[in-house]
Amino acid sequence: MTNLFETAPEEEQPSADEWHFENVDRLNKGIDLSDRPELLQSGKSLVADNIRFEKGQVLVDFGYKTFGQVIRGSPRADFQFFLRNGSSILTLITNLTFYRYVEAVTEWQYPSDGTKTTMNTAEAAGGTTLDVVSITGFSDGDFIGVELNSGKQHQTTINGVPSVNNITITDAIPVGETAGIGNDVIKAVVLTGTDNVPISLTTWAAFDKMYFANGSDKPMEFNGTDVVVISNLPSSGNTVCRLIVVFTNHLLLIHTVEGGTAFPQRVRWSEPGSDSNFNESVNFNDLYDSEDFIAATETLGVFQVIYKERSIYRLEFLGLSDQTWQFTRTIDGEGALNQDTVINLGDEHLFMGNANIYRYDGNFSIDPVGDNIFDKIFAQDGELNPEFTSRVFGVHVEELDEAWWFYPAGNDEFPKNMLKLKVSTRAWSIRKFADSLSGFGFFQAQADVTWQTAIGTWAAYKGPWLSKAVQTNVPTLHILSQSNLRVYEYGYITA
């Protein structure tokens, strides 16, 4: 054979019917593995890795950078909680604890689990004994946060049983810092989440609260200051759930464990307008007409759609004296992999099922949209690791008009690959990451960062000095790293 710079002998040159040349003006229709390669349509590709489709162009995808410090526990979800007064709090839930982000000092800080006190006397750098107003509720080994005069939080553990209003800490007050008189000392939230159950969270503006569940701990609420267990849960408070949602003025607990008994097909709801009265003996329904478990739920117009493992139900509010809800099974044979694989576009859902990715509009059929990538992801020799489908998660990126599903490929235990769909054109591509990922979130800055409001030194400041990144209302996507235990910002400006 000849090389690229030589002309092949006549006997080695293909005949006219073996070659076909065509100019392709736009190679932006994405991956298509649904047919033989030689039948590939114009504009489609067999491979499209680490790229994005934008305005008819194929461009290199964006990078990502760190956001805040290393945290404790595998990060699972961060969520911007908007309060009624217009302010917001960026929260982060890990398998082990709960954080709130303090933008002024670019730091994840513990909120209180309801146990807190204040400093009675100041403790300077190097000190390990806190003189506090009260030691009630604090115990040896507790994780605590100590407010420093700089606005930062010293996160440490209690070393020994507190006594006589003294708390001894494992890590000394940092160099250059002081915990002054009146500064807060709080006990951190303790969680026991697992990597195989996604975080479910919702808000209820009427109560100015955020609620979340992780399938291991009792469902909790956050009021902007404290994180506590929801009041008056069924089974004398001994109830755990995988899914929690606010729908038509009710708080719904779904896929529950009550008093130690599992009810994976159960939907339980509160009394109307209440988040603490569940009328335990009446307000529940078990979807036993199919044996598969409830995996996900999302609102869709006037319906609350409940995705089981192999079926889909539509929940509609009736509000009658003898019937609160109408449960209608609309789909048999296919369901969602888990809560985080369902993407809500407002007027329809996109969800990753067992054999494809589908579009669902609340009616009695689903529309496959992933045929072009079926062989790459779902086929017998596809990339998706079936052992860890519970760790797949998806997100809709509105400003890019894209739907993303992060999935573990091959022998990966956590997602390192991302399947991207350009919603308007249904063009598919793949993004590959070096880090193991465990969750996602969004953040929208609520105030401009200026030279005057910036705190600390150039060396300590972790944010970029770029106008697009520091202005009010700039949206950024967060991806959470299980391997590095930190949050990364996918900010559309990082190479």
Side-chain angles (χ1 to χ4, degrees), residues 82-306:
F82 287 88
L83 289 85
R84 286 190 307 225
N85 63 12
S87 65
S88 73
I89 302 170
L90 181 62
T91 64
L92 173 65
I93 303 171
T94 77
N95 282 345
L96 300 181
T97 192
F98 187 105
Y99 291 93
R100 57 179 295 168
Y101 187 70
V102 179
E103 196 166 3
V105 291
T106 62
E107 183 180 67
W108 295 105
Q109 297 188 357
Y110 295 137
S112 163
D113 73 344
T115 299
K116 50 192 170 183
T117 186
T118 57
M119 295 290 294
N120 201 31
T121 59
E123 188 71 15
T128 58
T129 301
L130 308 180
D131 177 18
V132 297
V133 172
S134 172
I135 60 172
T136 302
F138 292 94
S139 303
D140 182 26
D142 284 347
F143 290 90
I144 63 171
V146 183
E147 180 188 5
L148 303 175
N149 289 358
S150 65
K152 293 186 176 183
Q153 185 183 65
H154 181 48
Q155 296 170 7
T156 183
T157 56
I158 296 178
N159 185 9
V161 178
S163 62
V164 197
N165 289 8
N166 285 334
I167 295 177
T168 302
I169 56 177
T170 302
D171 308 293
I173 301 296
V175 175
E177 300 282 1
T178 299
I181 298 174
N183 285 11
D184 290 331
V185 178
I186 62 96
K187 181 182 172 184
V189 178
V190 175
L191 300 176
T192 59
T194 71
D195 292 320
N196 294 321
V197 179
I199 302 293
S200 176
L201 50 85
T202 188
T203 61
W204 198 342
F207 293 102
D208 229 9
K209 291 179 183 177
M210 165 186 161
Y211 308 86
F212 69 95
N214 64 7
S216 298
D217 301 294
K218 297 175 183 179
M220 296 186 175
E221 62 184 42
F222 174 52
N223 62 8
T225 303
D226 301 325
V227 178
V228 297
V229 174
I230 294 173
S231 301
N232 300 318
L233 289 168
S235 296
S236 301
N238 189 18
T239 292
V240 173
C241 68
R242 288 198 178 193
L243 304 170
I244 187 168
V245 66
V246 174
F247 181 60
T248 63
N249 211 29
H250 295 75
L251 184 64
L252 277 60
L253 310 179
I254 305 175
H255 191 139
T256 64
V257 178
E258 302 176 12
T261 302
F263 296 98
Q265 293 101 342
R266 176 161 292 183
V267 179
R268 181 176 284 284
W269 57 90
S270 69
E271 287 291 280
S274 172
D275 65 349
S276 59
N277 181 2
F278 290 91
N279 198 359
E280 179 177 351
S281 62
V282 177
N283 291 359
F284 70 94
N285 188 36
D286 294 308
L287 305 181
Y288 284 153
D289 48 346
S290 65
E291 70 277 8
D292 47 337
F293 296 170
I294 298 174
T297 186
E298 281 288 342
T299 304
L300 183 58
V302 298
F303 304 120
Q304 185 68 30
V305 179
I306 298 174

Side-chain angles (χ1 to χ4, degrees), residues 8 354 446 465:
N354 299 277
Q446 295 297 289
W465 285 111

Side-chain angles (χ1 to χ4, degrees), residues 242-442:
R242 288 198 178 193
L243 304 170
I244 187 168
V245 66
V246 174
F247 181 60
T248 63
N249 211 29
H250 295 75
L251 184 64
L252 277 60
L253 310 179
I254 305 175
H255 191 139
T256 64
V257 178
E258 302 176 12
T261 302
F263 296 98
Q265 293 101 342
R266 176 161 292 183
V267 179
R268 181 176 284 284
W269 57 90
S270 69
E271 287 291 280
S274 172
D275 65 349
S276 59
N277 181 2
F278 290 91
N279 198 359
E280 179 177 351
S281 62
V282 177
N283 291 359
F284 70 94
N285 188 36
D286 294 308
L287 305 181
Y288 284 153
D289 48 346
S290 65
E291 70 277 8
D292 47 337
F293 296 170
I294 298 174
T297 186
E298 281 288 342
T299 304
L300 183 58
V302 298
F303 304 120
Q304 185 68 30
V305 179
I306 298 174
Y307 292 86
K308 299 181 79 176
E309 295 167 325
R310 293 285 180 176
S311 56
I312 300 176
Y313 287 73
R314 199 173 64 190
L315 175 60
E316 184 177 7
F317 178 68
L318 299 181
L320 303 176
S321 58
D322 59 344
Q323 187 177 4
T324 304
W325 312 97
Q326 175 68 45
F327 292 84
T328 304
R329 184 166 56 172
T330 59
I331 302 294
D332 278 322
E334 186 58 289
L337 292 182
N338 66 59
Q339 168 66 14
D340 282 348
T341 61
V342 182
I343 294 176
N344 194 338
L345 301 184
D347 59 348
E348 64 182 12
H349 295 168
L350 296 174
F351 71 94
M352 182 178 285
N354 299 277
N356 210 323
I357 291 178
Y358 304 90
R359 169 187 169 272
Y360 183 59
D361 62 5
N363 289 306
F364 293 85
S365 63
I366 53 178
D367 174 28
V369 298
D371 289 347
N372 289 355
I373 46 85
F374 173 85
D375 286 331
K376 183 172 184 63
I377 305 297
F378 298 99
Q380 183 179 5
D381 57 349
E383 289 185 345
L384 179 62
N385 187 341
E387 184 178 356
F388 296 106
T389 55
S390 61
R391 298 176 183 179
V392 177
F393 58 93
V395 58
H396 180 218
V397 187
E398 294 180 352
E399 58 270 25
L400 298 180
D401 185 37
E402 293 180 348
W404 299 354
W405 286 271
F406 296 77
Y407 65 96
N411 293 322
D412 292 340
E413 296 185 4
F414 289 88
K416 286 187 176 181
N417 287 15
M418 178 177 73
L419 184 63
K420 293 205 300 182
L421 171 67
K422 193 73 171 180
V423 176
S424 59
T425 62
R426 294 200 175 181
W428 293 97
S429 62
I430 299 288
R431 173 65 191 272
K432 299 181 179 180
F433 295 86
D435 302 302
S436 297
L437 305 176
S438 53
F440 67 91
F442 287 100

